[in-house]
Amino acid sequence: DFVQDLLPYLVSEIEKDDVPFVFFGHSCGSLIAFLLAVELRRLGKRLPNWLFLASKSSPSFHSEDYFNQCKALSQERKLCFF
């Protein structure tokens, strides 16, 4: 998998400098930022001070279940929900 192949390179780049850092991932970048943070933790390396993820559902999120639940809501509940 491309992302798994990319992680060792990213870890080595992060280790070059001893400065605080953050990750911001958008869409597919969210997955990369998340997996990189997990890999750093697994390896016992420095972690980002912050991890910002945007426009990507969590790994445990099942969109089909979510949309089925939304369909079951009344119109009034949908407006409150969103």
Side-chain angles (χ1 to χ4, degrees), residues 14 20 25-26 31 33 38-39 44 46 49 55 59 61 64 72 74 76-77 80:
I14 290 168
H26 184 267
L31 179 61
V38 169
E39 181 70 1
R46 287 183 311 122
N49 289 356
S55 297
F61 180 76
E64 187 175 317
S74 69
E76 292 155 357
R77 296 273 299 163
C80 291

Side-chain angles (χ1 to χ4, degrees), residues 56-67:
K56 179 79 174 143
S57 59
S58 70
S60 62
F61 180 76
H62 301 286
S63 60
E64 187 175 317
D65 294 340
Y66 173 78
F67 289 114

Side-chain angles (χ1 to χ4, degrees), residues 27-39:
S27 192
C28 184
S30 292
L31 179 61
I32 295 169
F34 174 78
L35 292 175
L36 180 55
V38 169
E39 181 70 1

